[in-house]
Amino acid sequence: MALAHAILASLIDRPCSGYDLAKEFDGSVGFFWQATHQQIYRELSKLEAQGWVISKTISQSKRPDKKLYQVTELGKQQLKEWIAQPCEPAPIKDDLLVKIFGGYAASREVILEELERHRQAHLERLSTYKALEQKYFQKPQELSEQAKFQFLTLLNGISYETHWLAWCQQAIKLLS
Amino acid sequence: MALAHAILASLIDRPCSGYDLAKEFDGSVGFFWQATHQQIYRELSKLEAQGWVISKTISQSKRPDKKLYQVTELGKQQLKEWIAQPCEPAPIKDDLLVKIFGGYAASREVILEELERHRQAHLERLSTYKALEQKYFQKPQELSEQAKFQFLTLLNGISYETHWLAWCQQAIKLLS
DNA sequence: GGGCACATGTAACGGGTTACATGATTAA
DNA sequence: TTAATCATGTAACCCGTTACATGTGCCC
């Protein structure tokens, strides 16, 4: 149920509408947890029914009304408890590796093309992440507590993309 | 629909029962794609209905009967086509990163404990993978075509675990 | 006039998870 | 005698995906 807790963690920063949350899950939070707006609206309804968040409807003149969600004390406690519960590392689950595994059923050329496409994609993500690092996290020792945690998720992304990039290159080399 | 194709790829090696497949998805294939026996039986029924695999029932005296599944020509073609279709890199989706993201809502100690647990887990997986590398893939240049592809999935696992291990250490350092 | 940003939803479907169910053989 | 291995399945539920639905204001 990490979606619920990812929403709680996002809402603690500042009250948000479902729409705002969907944008976050499309950007920063989306680096490590993805969700569509439909999932978010569904989850918010559930969270409100459980009393983990409450909403206020804000009337707007020039835009549609919106519901601002806020985390309740109960919600904060639930988040804290969830964080304290041990969890297992997420297993890898990647289409490309299934393709490699079945690779000798296809032509070498096709596999190499796909590997090259992925290499390119990982390279692009990596440079996006590095740009963010440059922009927001130049001096790691001087970051606020909150920023340190965000920085760590970004570092994970950088490390992850670096790993994939290196593996793609290795794979291309071995198969060429 | 990578599950269907992961099953096809496994079955091309040798005909298998659902039970056999479930064991593979718990071991080697499970390094990059996981599935329970229920998923596998469900998927096999679908694959047979589509004509991608066919089954023979084998009567056994001292064990329950079993169904051996084999890939059809249509199935092979479908696998080949699926491999040729470009796919996107799998996004990260990891509970631990959600915890880190919401980390300032919990106590530092709890977070550090969890990071240490994960560091340990990744270390163990890494050494499992390295042992497999030692055992089966000592001379990469001399591997059969088929073995090369398997080797690459293992290399990916090694690279992945190395990345996580390094990140956990970095995170522990930054938060200590 | 077209398209994007804002804003929230319903409905249907498919894949993944968990629990339940059965029943023989073999090794500790 | 207890547990593990072999072997296949049903049922219910939850989560994720995709399509559909609505409607205003603003900028080009």
Side-chain angles (χ1 to χ4, degrees):
Chain A
M1 301 217 302
L3 175 56
H5 298 92
I7 289 176
L8 290 176
S10 296
L11 285 179
I12 282 183
D13 279 347
R14 58 191 175 99
C16 278
S17 65
Y19 188 85
D20 296 332
L21 283 169
K23 271 196 299 181
E24 272 202 54
F25 277 82
D26 211 49
S28 54
V29 181
F31 296 155
F32 51 88
W33 204 271
Q34 302 77 43
T36 60
H37 81 271
Q38 292 83 350
Q39 273 177 277
I40 290 164
Y41 285 121
R42 183 160 60 185
E43 199 65 39
L44 281 171
S45 304
K46 241 195 267 178
L47 290 176
E48 190 163 27
Q50 287 172 310
W52 298 15
V53 301
I54 39 164
S55 67
K56 280 189 286 195
T57 302
I58 310 284
S59 296
Q60 298 180 117
S61 53
K62 309 220 162 171
R63 301 185 175 293
D65 293 357
K66 66 173 169 179
K67 282 195 215 168
L68 269 193
Y69 288 89
Q70 237 182 323
V71 183
T72 61
E73 273 311 308
L74 177 61
K76 281 180 200 172
Q77 203 188 313
Q78 291 291 335
L79 178 58
K80 216 171 158 180
E81 275 174 36
W82 179 76
I83 291 175
Q85 255 183 280
C87 65
E88 291 309 302
I92 309 177
K93 213 166 185 191
D94 197 297
D95 283 22
L96 182 61
L97 291 171
V98 176
K99 290 186 179 184
I100 295 295
F101 178 68
Y104 64 102
S107 81
R108 182 61 54 106
E109 209 183 314
V110 158
I111 301 279
L112 281 170
E113 263 174 46
E114 187 69 345
L115 280 168
E116 178 55 28
R117 277 192 62 249
H118 280 251
R119 194 188 68 78
Q120 203 56 42
H122 289 297
L123 189 61
E124 273 164 38
R125 289 197 198 176
L126 182 58
S127 68
T128 305
Y129 292 169
K130 283 198 170 165
L132 286 172
E133 188 190 17
Q134 279 297 310
K135 197 167 170 191
Y136 297 111
F137 304 103
Q138 288 226 12
K139 295 172 186 165
Q141 294 309 324
E142 293 171 24
L143 293 172
S144 71
E145 288 307 291
Q146 209 185 114
K148 268 186 192 171
F149 288 107
Q150 277 184 270
F151 178 51
L152 280 173
T153 61
L154 182 62
L155 281 182
N156 190 280
I158 290 174
S159 172
Y160 180 76
E161 296 303 337
T162 304
H163 133 66
W164 267 102
L165 193 59
W167 179 81
C168 284
Q169 277 159 1
Q170 202 174 12
I172 290 167
K173 203 173 158 191
L174 189 75
L175 296 178
S176 290
Chain B
M1 298 218 303
L3 175 56
H5 298 92
I7 289 175
L8 291 176
S10 298
L11 285 180
I12 283 183
D13 279 347
R14 56 190 176 99
C16 278
S17 65
Y19 188 84
D20 297 332
L21 283 169
K23 272 196 298 181
E24 272 203 55
F25 278 81
D26 212 48
S28 54
V29 181
F31 296 156
F32 51 87
W33 202 271
Q34 303 77 42
T36 61
H37 80 271
Q38 292 85 349
Q39 273 177 279
I40 290 165
Y41 285 121
R42 182 160 61 186
E43 198 66 39
L44 281 171
S45 305
K46 240 193 269 178
L47 289 176
E48 191 163 26
Q50 288 172 309
W52 296 16
V53 302
I54 39 164
S55 67
K56 279 190 287 194
T57 301
I58 310 285
S59 295
Q60 297 180 118
S61 53
K62 309 217 162 174
R63 302 188 173 293
D65 292 358
K66 66 172 169 181
K67 282 193 216 167
L68 270 193
Y69 287 90
Q70 239 182 321
V71 183
T72 60
E73 272 310 309
L74 176 61
K76 282 180 200 172
Q77 203 188 314
Q78 291 293 334
L79 178 59
K80 215 171 158 179
E81 276 175 36
W82 179 77
I83 291 174
Q85 255 181 279
C87 66
E88 291 309 302
I92 309 177
K93 214 168 183 187
D94 197 298
D95 283 21
L96 182 61
L97 291 170
V98 176
K99 289 186 179 185
I100 295 295
F101 178 67
Y104 64 102
S107 82
R108 182 62 55 105
E109 210 182 314
V110 159
I111 302 278
L112 282 169
E113 264 173 46
E114 188 69 346
L115 280 168
E116 179 54 30
R117 277 192 62 248
H118 280 251
R119 193 187 67 80
Q120 202 58 40
H122 289 297
L123 191 59
E124 274 164 37
R125 289 196 196 176
L126 181 58
S127 67
T128 305
Y129 292 169
K130 284 197 170 166
L132 287 171
E133 189 190 16
Q134 279 297 311
K135 196 166 172 190
Y136 298 110
F137 304 103
Q138 288 225 11
K139 294 172 185 164
Q141 292 310 323
E142 294 172 23
L143 293 171
S144 71
E145 287 308 290
Q146 209 185 115
K148 268 188 193 172
F149 287 106
Q150 276 185 271
F151 179 50
L152 279 174
T153 62
L154 182 62
L155 280 183
N156 190 279
I158 290 174
S159 171
Y160 180 75
E161 296 302 338
T162 304
H163 132 64
W164 267 102
L165 194 58
W167 179 81
C168 284
Q169 278 159 1
Q170 202 174 12
I172 289 168
K173 202 173 158 191
L174 189 74
L175 295 177
S176 291

